[in-house]
Amino acid sequence: MPGSPGRPLLTEEWQIALATVTIMSVAWILFRIARRIAERLRSDRDQGGDTD
């Protein structure tokens, strides 16, 4: 029965695949947030906003 001792719920290959997808998803979300922040800063600067 899967999940019982000696028989993991996911094989090692699937665990690696799942971890890879998770890491890539988090990286993509962080990239989108960073891009949004950079765009906001750029538009503020173009409009003569904060000058520091």
Side-chain angles (χ1 to χ4, degrees), residues 10-27:
L10 292 173
T11 63
E12 187 177 354
E13 290 83 8
W14 278 108
Q15 289 175 5
I16 292 170
L18 185 61
T20 303
V21 169
T22 302
I23 290 169
M24 293 299 289
S25 298
V26 170

Side-chain angles (χ1 to χ4, degrees), residues 6-45:
R7 299 234 3 213
L9 195 58
L10 292 173
T11 63
E12 187 177 354
E13 290 83 8
W14 278 108
Q15 289 175 5
I16 292 170
L18 185 61
T20 303
V21 169
T22 302
I23 290 169
M24 293 299 289
S25 298
V26 170
W28 177 250
I29 290 168
L30 292 175
F31 172 74
R32 295 277 309 245
I33 291 170
R35 208 167 57 175
R36 188 170 297 164
I37 291 170
E39 180 62 34
R40 187 174 301 143
L41 291 174
R42 202 174 304 125
S43 69
D44 285 350
R45 190 181 61 211

